[in-house]
């Protein structure tokens, strides 16, 4: 086992945290989270820490530990996922690698103990009991409705994909070596207890996962025990390791993670191509040729001054532009995020109620699940590059494929290939769409379009995708 030691610092502890009287959901487990809105969900998740305090003092800066000692919170957390749930889940057809990893930290390295093919519960339990292996369950929100509800609301709150993994570790064992991640991490302790050690980042706000050797990380900056109902947050890049203490039969926690590849650098990579294309229409300097044989040269240092000058011109044009486009990041988020949680037994969303007419009053539905982008026309790529308005939404996304990758072979294997759902309009529809998005209600006849036929067409198109309701 790695050497122990350290102090508790910069960590908020809260005992006997007061919670609102819980309601009982359909499964009979007490809910201590508020699902009224994305904001209320996040506030109840980090309670009693305030939202403003969290983002001022902790977000991307340092860890936060909330120790609650509250039986209602502990009971609710335990209902999210338990060791006893594995037997039933295995019967649904889980596979090693895709759904479950079995591993153990041995001499500072991760040892993977996966078998081939489909997971057999008896074999899984045998590895857990006899080999002291950790069971890592990938993306449990695909199977657990309460986690679906939580993560869908958090995706609305952050505007970023939110994944999760469950870790079940037997006593006296550790699943993973010291490492850091490229995501913001929220850990909910569900069953048993887990001994945690956190260390100063070697790469603050890291952009990739990495294992760190014990001799490089030094002494822990934080050391504590998580118990059921406790919450831990730490920023990406925070080096960490955790083990289940002796005397505790096993520990179960869920790691909820977000903000992977969601930095200003990522946004610039996404936005600059469109910015350059637009600026080049107006600025002849961006349309002049690069030097002869530049692409054949090994050393291109001579062109850095020219590039610096062009970037400054680009920055000046950015200050004068009305909008900054981010089509690919927006589409990636909306295409891969969770659909609204309407319940496992709910029918797929279909248009309902009255058809929108010219004299109808309409209201946008599922605002957090739809985006508007302006892009080159995808259906006429060979013609003159003209821009169109696209409305993408996640109402028809598949919960079963959430955060499971986008490889074609994986998707086609289960017949669950992802696709982008949405609508395509002429650029002249943009103002009318913004009108609908920015208003609580709007009359169809007052939409910023030339003809009544266009107004009805826009309303009907949105209605068929369940994006508006007629009042």
């Amino acid at each position: 086992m790695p050497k122990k030691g350290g102090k508790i610092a910069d960590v908020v502890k809260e005992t006997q945290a007061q919670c609102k009287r819980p309601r009982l959901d359909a499964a009979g487990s007490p809910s201590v989270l508020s699902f009224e809105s994305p904001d209320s969900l996040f506030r109840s998740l980090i309670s009693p820490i305030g939202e403003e305090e969290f983002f001022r003092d902790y977000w991307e800066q340092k860890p936060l530990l909330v120790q609650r000692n509250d039986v209602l919170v502990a009971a609710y957390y335990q209902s999210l996922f338990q060791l006893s749930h594995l037997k039933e889940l295995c019967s649904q057809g889980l596979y090693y690698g895709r759904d479950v990893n079995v591993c153990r930290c041995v001499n500072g390295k991760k040892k993977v103990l996966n078998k081939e093919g489909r997971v057999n519960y008896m074999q899984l339990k045998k590895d857990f009991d006899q080999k002291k292996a950790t069971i890592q369950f990938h993306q449990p929100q695909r199977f657990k409705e309460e986690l679906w509800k939580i993560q869908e609301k958090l995706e609305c709150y952050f505007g970023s994909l939110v994944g999760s993994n469950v870790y079940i570790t037997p006593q006296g064992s550790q699943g993973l070596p010291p490492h850091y991640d490229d995501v913001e991490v929220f850990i909910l302790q569900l069953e048993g207890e887990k001994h945690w050690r956190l260390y100063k980042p070697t790469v603050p706000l890291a952009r990739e996962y990495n294992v760190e050797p014990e001799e490089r990380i030094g002494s822990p900056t934080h050391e504590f025990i998580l118990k059921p109902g406790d919450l831990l947050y730490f920023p990406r890049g925070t080096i960490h390791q955790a083990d289940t203490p002796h005397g505790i039969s096993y520990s179960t926690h869920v790691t909820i993670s977000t903000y992977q590849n969601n930095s200003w650098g990522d946004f610039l990579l996404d936005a600059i191509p469109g910015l350059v294309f637009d600026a080049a229409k107006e600025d002849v300097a961006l349309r002049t040729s690069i030097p002869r044989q530049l692409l054949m040269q090994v050393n291109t240092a001579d062109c850095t001054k020219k590039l610096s000058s062009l970037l400054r011109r680009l920055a000046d044009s950015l200050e004068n532009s009305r909008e900054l486009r981010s089509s690919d990041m927006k589409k990636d988020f909306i295409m891969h995020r969770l659909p609204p949680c309407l319940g496992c037994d709910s029918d797929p969303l279909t248009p309902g109620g009255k058809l929108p007419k010219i004299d109808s009053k309409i209201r946008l539905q599922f605002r957090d699940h739809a985006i508007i982008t302006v892009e080159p026309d995808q259906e006429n790529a060979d013609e003159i590059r003209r821009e169109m308005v696209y409305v993408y939404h996640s109402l028809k996304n598949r919960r079963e494929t959430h955060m499971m990758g986008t490889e074609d072979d994986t998707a086609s294997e289960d017949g669950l290939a992802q696709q982008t759902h949405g609508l395509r309009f002429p650029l002249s529809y943009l103002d009318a769409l913004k009108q609908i998005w920015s208003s609580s209600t709007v009359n169809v006849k007052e939409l910023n379009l030339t003809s009544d036929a266009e107004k009805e067409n826009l309303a009907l198109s949105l209605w068929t995708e369940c994006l508006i309701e007629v009042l």
Side-chain angles (χ1 to χ4, degrees), residues 274-288 313-314 316-318 320-321 325 387:
L275 178 63
V276 172
F277 183 86
D278 290 341
K281 294 177 183 177
E282 309 296 332
D283 190 345
V284 69
L286 290 168
R287 302 199 299 272
T288 57
R313 295 175 75 97
L314 201 61
D316 291 338
S317 69
L318 177 59
N320 298 322
S321 64
R325 301 175 195 167
E387 293 184 321

Side-chain angles (χ1 to χ4, degrees), residues 302-316:
D302 291 343
C303 69
T304 55
K305 283 187 177 181
K306 180 64 174 179
L307 280 176
S308 296
S309 171
L310 291 174
L311 285 172
R312 280 190 288 270
R313 295 175 75 97
L314 201 61
D316 291 338

Side-chain angles (χ1 to χ4, degrees), residues 332-374:
D332 182 73
F333 171 55
I334 215 73
M335 180 177 174
H336 295 106
R337 65 162 304 183
L338 283 164
C341 183
L342 304 175
C344 288
D345 300 325
S346 298
D347 295 326
L349 276 171
T350 54
K354 297 179 292 184
L355 281 167
K357 302 291 185 182
I358 191 64
D359 58 350
S360 299
K361 178 181 286 188
I362 58 174
R363 176 169 59 199
L364 183 66
Q365 296 189 116
F366 304 108
R367 184 185 304 272
D368 293 330
H369 284 267
I371 59 167
I372 304 170
T373 70
V374 176

Side-chain angles (χ1 to χ4, degrees), residues 47 93 96 131 141 178 228 257:
S47 173
Y96 285 104
K131 296 183 179 180
Q141 72 277 9
S257 57

Side-chain angles (χ1 to χ4, degrees), residues 380-443:
N380 296 286
D382 296 333
E383 297 180 5
I384 296 174
R385 181 169 167 145
R386 61 170 180 165
E387 293 184 321
M388 302 289 288
V389 181
Y390 288 85
V391 175
Y392 299 111
H393 65 80
S394 55
L395 304 187
K396 299 176 185 177
N397 285 4
R398 300 297 301 266
R399 167 198 183 191
E400 296 88 347
T401 60
H402 184 243
M403 301 298 289
M404 294 303 290
T406 58
E407 292 82 0
D408 291 338
D409 54 348
T410 303
S412 59
E413 180 181 315
D414 294 329
L416 297 173
Q418 290 276 34
Q419 58 179 323
T420 307
H421 303 286
L423 299 163
R424 168 178 169 270
F425 300 103
L427 192 59
S428 58
Y429 280 56
L430 180 58
D431 286 342
L433 284 164
K434 289 182 177 180
Q435 195 178 352
I436 295 171
W437 254 250
S438 62
S439 306
S440 56
T441 63
V442 63
N443 295 314

Side-chain angles (χ1 to χ4, degrees), residues 193-247:
E193 298 179 6
K194 203 73 175 274
H195 168 234
W196 283 84
R197 281 163 287 168
L198 310 182
Y199 305 80
K200 183 179 179 180
T202 52
V203 182
L205 302 182
R207 288 181 55 84
E208 56 188 5
Y209 167 93
N210 194 38
V211 174
E212 288 283 22
E214 192 79 30
E215 59 271 15
R216 187 181 176 193
I217 61 179
S219 299
T221 56
H222 309 77
E223 185 170 10
F224 47 84
I225 299 288
L226 280 188
K227 298 181 179 181
D230 290 350
L231 171 80
L232 170 65
Y233 158 80
F234 52 81
R236 52 196 189 278
T238 302
I239 302 168
H240 56 280
Q241 60 179 325
D243 61 274
T244 302
H246 288 282

Side-chain angles (χ1 to χ4, degrees), residues 80-322:
L80 298 177
F81 199 104
Q82 302 171 27
L83 174 62
S84 60
H85 294 167
L86 279 176
K87 187 172 185 179
E88 178 191 349
L89 289 168
C90 285
S91 70
Q92 298 183 34
L94 305 179
Y95 286 84
Y96 285 104
R98 184 190 71 179
D99 303 301
V100 171
N101 269 338
V102 181
C103 59
R104 185 175 181 186
C105 179
V106 179
N107 298 323
K109 295 183 178 180
K110 177 182 176 181
K111 183 177 181 180
V112 179
L113 305 172
N114 287 354
K115 304 296 187 291
E116 292 291 330
R118 189 163 172 167
V119 177
N120 177 278
Y121 173 73
M122 296 305 295
Q123 180 64 55
L124 186 66
K125 194 68 167 60
K126 182 179 179 181
D127 289 340
F128 181 77
D129 292 332
Q130 297 182 9
K131 296 183 179 180
K132 300 297 183 183
T134 288
I135 299 170
Q136 179 186 15
F137 193 96
H138 297 152
Q139 310 304 333
Q141 72 277 9
R142 296 176 294 143
F143 302 91
K144 295 293 185 179
E145 184 174 342
E146 198 71 9
L147 284 172
W148 176 13
K149 287 170 61 180
I150 291 171
Q151 290 174 233
E152 183 260 327
K153 281 287 189 288
L154 288 176
E155 286 185 334
C156 293
Y157 181 81
F158 286 112
S160 176
L161 295 175
V162 176
S164 67
N165 285 317
V166 165
Y167 297 86
I168 309 175
T169 303
Q171 67 172 320
S173 186
Q174 180 170 329
L176 300 172
H179 68 279
Y180 58 78
D181 298 298
D182 58 347
V183 286
E184 300 295 305
V185 170
F186 296 86
I187 289 168
L188 284 60
Q189 184 67 22
L190 310 182
E191 297 181 298
E193 298 179 6
K194 203 73 175 274
H195 168 234
W196 283 84
R197 281 163 287 168
L198 310 182
Y199 305 80
K200 183 179 179 180
T202 52
V203 182
L205 302 182
R207 288 181 55 84
E208 56 188 5
Y209 167 93
N210 194 38
V211 174
E212 288 283 22
E214 192 79 30
E215 59 271 15
R216 187 181 176 193
I217 61 179
S219 299
T221 56
H222 309 77
E223 185 170 10
F224 47 84
I225 299 288
L226 280 188
K227 298 181 179 181
D230 290 350
L231 171 80
L232 170 65
Y233 158 80
F234 52 81
R236 52 196 189 278
T238 302
I239 302 168
H240 56 280
Q241 60 179 325
D243 61 274
T244 302
H246 288 282
I248 303 297
S249 58
Y250 64 90
S251 162
T252 305
H253 76 262
V254 61
T255 296
I256 297 175
S257 57
T258 189
Y259 261 68
Q260 185 179 48
N261 300 329
N262 212 46
S263 67
W264 277 113
D266 297 299
F267 190 76
L268 280 171
L269 287 170
D270 186 45
I272 280 182
L275 178 63
V276 172
F277 183 86
D278 290 341
K281 294 177 183 177
E282 309 296 332
D283 190 345
V284 69
L286 290 168
R287 302 199 299 272
T288 57
S289 301
I290 60 175
R292 287 185 309 105
Q293 300 183 345
L294 175 64
L295 303 181
M296 301 163 60
Q297 295 176 11
V298 175
N299 187 352
T300 57
D302 291 343
C303 69
T304 55
K305 283 187 177 181
K306 180 64 174 179
L307 280 176
S308 296
S309 171
L310 291 174
L311 285 172
R312 280 190 288 270
R313 295 175 75 97
L314 201 61
D316 291 338
S317 69
L318 177 59
E319 289 186 356
N320 298 322
S321 64
R322 289 193 308 144

